């Protein structure tokens, strides 16, 4: 029997090109609505049961590879209710790892091998995940530090259509972890840095136990630049910033004392990656809009009767920004009033707070990223500021006409009322004029039937196309369309 091995020697998508993210031709440019995956799906004209592709990246793991794959295969074969494939991603190993991997691929129909001539866990995952046709793609470390009982909870939200990415976390309250104090400190410190610098909300970026939906991987991976250990973090940060749903599973995890990861070098590379990604996000250099799900796919997006789409969230964001701007305006007015007249102090305070207000609403309320049309938005914001200036200045002029001896507290009270009125007017103008054309959600035209079944690239892996291999790669018989939605155990019982 021939060994099911493919090679990856060329440059990967996005490598050397930064975050521009040119994706493969033929792939959708936006994400379809989430759908529950069926047991059997059609890809490239063939019906396959392979729902899950588990990647095991290895480098010089001749001792651990065989027991890992045998244990993983046995677990999946006896407990996983869907078709699966195990792909060994060989990162340019120089020992007997390729021989061991080839022997396992010959023995098991569900095992394949991809050989890369360059090292890097990120490079291996991007190569294999990008070439896979499976609608769910996962990876785990070869030492199997994570208890395999967490695998089904990991992929279940992806299969059901609830989430886009799933990760194991060692830092949840219900996780059970056995590892040394040094690794514990490094892990918690790193995740703290992510939360403070990149505003990350996920708890554990580097646990070697993750899964991603295939349609998400096809559009997200070309945006990821790192090829090493920071790959996981970059995927999660970009996905979170794009609004994708990340599911976390508490895991039982036992540290591998034979781990050969260079902690210092990895930490330095990770900090460089944090700086690079943070700068790209701040500059708006990433086309994250293509990762948005269609509006209405999230239950939170469902229309409210007689309320325009997106209005509730925009009102909340605008009110928060408005409250901050009002406080800023009053503080600036009180400070400037010490050295300037009432009209000059009001004008300068309103100008400075309006600039900050426009920038905050542009990014936080209406979700506009990058520098495109920024100058235009701020120019329109200044016109809105002019209208607010007329309203507030007119109020102060009216107060001065009615009571020339009014005290500072009275002036501030009148200014607060006038600012509240100006705030309402500002929201109406921002929504209907300044940011009216900045809705970056995908258009809702078309149906799910117009889109590819799994959004993935063609799978040209030899293990599925070998002459004489009439059964699918997962080793289970072909099914008809009527059986496609049944769980595997139900199909097997019906057939018998």
């Amino acid at each position: 029997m021939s060994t099911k091995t493919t090679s990856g020697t060329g440059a990967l998508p996005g490598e050397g090109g930064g975050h521009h993210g040119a994706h493969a031709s033929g792939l959708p440019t936006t994400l379809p609505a989430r759908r529950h995956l069926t047991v059997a799906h059609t890809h490239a004209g063939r019906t396959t049961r392979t729902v899950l592709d588990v990647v095991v990246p290895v480098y010089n793991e001749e001792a651990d590879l065989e027991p890992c794959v045998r244990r993983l295969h046995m677990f999946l074969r006896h407990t996983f209710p869907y078709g699966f494939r195990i792909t060994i991603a060989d990162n340019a190993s120089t020992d007997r790892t390729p021989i061991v991997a080839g022997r396992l691929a010959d023995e098991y129909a569900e095992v394949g091998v991809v050989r890369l001539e360059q090292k890097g866990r990120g490079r291996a995952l991007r190569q294999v995940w990008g070439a896979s046709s499976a609608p769910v793609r996962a990876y785990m470390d070869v030492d199997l530090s994570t208890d395999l009982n967490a695998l089904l909870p990991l992929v279940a939200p992806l299969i059901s259509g609830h989430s886009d990415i799933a990760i194991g976390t060692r830092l949840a309250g219900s996780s059970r972890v056995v590892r040394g104090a040094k690794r514990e400190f490094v892990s918690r410190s790193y995740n703290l840095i992510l939360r403070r610098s990149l505003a990350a909300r996920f708890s554990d970026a580097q646990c070697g136990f993750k899964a991603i939906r295939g349609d998400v991987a096809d559009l997200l991976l070309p945006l990821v630049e790192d090829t090493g250990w920071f790959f996981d973090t970059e995927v999660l940060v970009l996905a979170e910033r794009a609004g994708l749903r990340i599911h976390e599973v508490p895991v039982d995890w036992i540290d591998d004392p034979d781990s050969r990861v260079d902690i210092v070098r990895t930490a330095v590379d990770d900090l460089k990656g944090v700086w690079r990604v943070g700068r790209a996000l701040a500059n708006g250099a990433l086309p994250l809009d293509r990762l948005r799900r269609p509006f209405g796919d999230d239950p939170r997006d469902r229309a409210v009767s007689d309320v325009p789409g997106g209005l509730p969230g925009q009102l909340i964001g605008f009110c928060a920004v408005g409250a901050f701007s009002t406080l800023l305006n009053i503080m600036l007015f009180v400070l400037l009033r010490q050295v300037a007249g009432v009209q000059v102090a009001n004008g300068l305070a309103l100008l400075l707070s309006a600039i900050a207000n426009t920038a905050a609403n542009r990014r936080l309320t209406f979700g506009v990223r990058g520098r495109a049309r920024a100058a235009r938005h701020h120019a329109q914001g200044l016109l809105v500021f002019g209208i607010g200036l007329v309203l507030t200045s007119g109020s102060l002029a009216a107060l001065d006409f009615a009571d020339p001896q009014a005290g500072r507290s009275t002036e501030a009270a009148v200014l607060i009322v006038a600012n509240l009125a100006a705030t309402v007017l500002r929201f109406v103008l921002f929504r209907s004029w300044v940011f009216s054309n900045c809705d970056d959600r995908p258009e809702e035209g078309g149906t799910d039937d117009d889109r590819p079944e799994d959004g993935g690239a063609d799978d040209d892996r030899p293990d599925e196309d070998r002459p004489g291999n009439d059964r699918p790669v997962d080793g289970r018989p072909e099914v008809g369309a009527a059986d496609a939605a049944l769980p595997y155990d139900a199909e097997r019982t019906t057939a018998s």
Side-chain angles (χ1 to χ4, degrees):
M1 182 181 295
S2 58
T3 302
K4 300 167 292 183
T5 305
T6 58
S7 297
T9 57
L12 299 174
E15 229 177 274
H19 279 287
H20 300 295
H23 56 283
S25 60
L27 296 180
T29 57
T30 57
L31 286 170
R34 299 187 191 95
R35 292 183 296 171
H36 194 298
L37 300 175
T38 56
V39 169
H41 63 100
T42 302
H43 179 78
R46 296 183 58 200
T47 299
T48 175
R49 290 178 177 273
T50 303
V51 171
L52 174 65
D53 190 353
V54 182
V55 181
V56 182
V58 293
Y59 172 71
N60 289 349
E61 297 287 356
E62 60 181 2
D64 293 338
L65 178 58
E66 183 169 351
C68 160
V69 172
R70 291 190 184 279
R71 179 182 166 194
L72 177 59
H73 182 271
M74 179 179 295
F75 177 86
L76 291 171
R77 191 66 180 172
H78 288 90
T79 65
F80 193 69
Y82 297 91
F84 65 88
R85 177 168 61 233
I86 301 172
T87 303
I88 303 169
D90 180 12
N91 277 136
S93 295
T94 57
D95 62 359
R96 297 182 63 257
T97 296
I99 299 174
V100 176
R103 187 169 65 246
L104 291 167
D106 285 339
E107 182 176 349
Y108 298 113
E110 299 89 351
V111 176
V113 182
V114 174
R115 167 76 178 182
L116 291 92
E117 299 304 329
Q118 292 176 288
K119 295 172 59 177
R121 183 175 71 173
R123 176 178 284 105
L125 291 177
R126 189 163 55 177
Q127 173 85 10
V128 180
W129 275 357
S132 177
S133 64
V136 176
R137 303 159 196 180
Y139 94 88
M140 61 183 62
D141 293 334
V142 69
D143 55 18
L144 296 185
S145 294
T146 305
D147 185 5
L148 291 178
N149 287 323
L151 182 58
L152 187 55
L154 183 80
V155 301
L158 310 186
I159 294 175
S160 69
H162 175 272
S163 300
D164 300 293
I165 295 176
I167 65 174
T169 175
R170 299 162 294 185
L171 303 180
S174 56
S175 300
R176 294 184 294 182
V177 177
V178 178
R179 61 176 167 180
K182 180 180 178 180
R183 286 187 174 273
E184 183 77 12
F185 174 78
V186 170
S187 177
R188 291 187 178 275
S189 298
Y190 177 67
N191 285 283
L192 179 62
I193 291 173
L194 293 181
R195 287 193 293 272
R196 294 293 181 265
S197 61
L198 298 178
R201 296 189 298 273
F202 47 84
S203 64
D204 192 350
Q206 291 192 317
C207 179
F209 195 70
K210 294 182 176 68
I212 186 171
R213 281 183 65 101
D215 53 358
V216 175
D218 291 334
L219 292 181
L220 177 58
L221 295 184
L223 303 180
V224 179
E225 182 176 339
D226 192 79
T227 59
W229 293 97
F230 188 71
F231 175 88
D232 299 45
T233 302
E234 191 167 353
V235 167
L236 294 177
V237 170
L238 299 189
E240 190 173 76
R241 289 300 184 95
L244 299 181
R245 181 176 289 163
I246 300 175
H247 178 75
E248 296 197 355
V249 178
V251 297
D252 298 338
W253 195 85
I254 300 177
D255 188 21
D256 177 16
D258 189 38
S259 176
R260 284 162 281 180
V261 178
D262 187 335
I263 296 179
V264 175
R265 179 180 176 183
T266 300
V268 172
D269 291 342
D270 286 345
L271 292 177
K272 292 179 180 178
V274 169
W275 169 258
R276 173 176 52 80
V277 172
R279 184 176 57 184
L281 291 172
N283 294 337
L286 297 167
L288 297 179
D289 57 317
R290 72 174 54 159
L291 295 172
R292 302 291 178 84
R293 291 287 185 183
F295 186 67
D297 182 52
D298 192 316
R300 294 170 295 181
D301 295 335
R302 291 173 185 166
V304 180
S305 178
D306 299 326
V307 177
L311 180 59
Q314 290 177 355
L315 277 173
I316 294 174
F318 185 84
C319 287
V321 173
F324 169 78
S325 299
T326 300
L327 292 175
L328 178 63
N329 184 289
I330 297 301
M331 292 173 58
L332 291 173
F333 175 78
V334 172
L335 292 174
L336 293 171
R337 189 66 178 87
Q338 306 298 323
V339 295
V342 62
Q343 295 293 352
V344 174
N346 174 61
L348 290 175
L350 192 58
L351 174 62
L352 295 175
S353 61
I355 294 174
N357 181 278
T358 301
N361 276 305
R362 183 177 187 269
R363 177 65 180 87
L364 302 177
T365 303
F366 298 97
V368 182
R369 297 178 174 86
R371 300 175 180 175
R373 293 185 289 183
R376 174 185 172 185
H377 292 157
H378 280 284
Q380 292 172 320
L382 287 177
L383 291 178
V384 176
F385 149 75
I387 297 173
L389 178 62
V390 170
L391 181 59
T392 56
S393 297
S395 300
L396 291 172
L399 175 65
D400 184 64
F401 178 79
D403 184 5
Q405 304 301 322
R408 301 284 174 83
S409 59
T410 304
E411 290 178 349
V414 170
L415 191 60
I416 289 174
V417 175
N419 265 298
L420 290 176
T423 297
V424 174
L425 181 60
R426 185 182 299 117
F427 176 76
V428 173
L429 292 176
F430 275 177
R431 180 176 170 82
S432 62
W433 178 45
V434 179
F435 303 112
S436 61
N437 297 320
C438 295
D439 188 354
D440 58 0
R441 300 185 191 100
E443 296 183 3
E444 296 181 331
T447 64
D448 288 343
D449 295 334
D450 299 328
R451 300 184 180 97
E453 177 71 21
D454 53 17
D458 287 344
D459 189 352
D460 57 357
R461 305 170 75 167
D463 58 290
E464 292 194 10
D465 298 328
R466 285 180 296 147
N469 185 15
D470 296 327
R471 62 178 180 175
V473 69
D474 57 15
R476 294 169 180 166
E478 297 280 358
V479 299
D483 298 326
L486 295 173
Y488 175 64
D489 291 339
E491 291 175 354
R492 182 169 49 193
T493 302
T494 302
S496 60

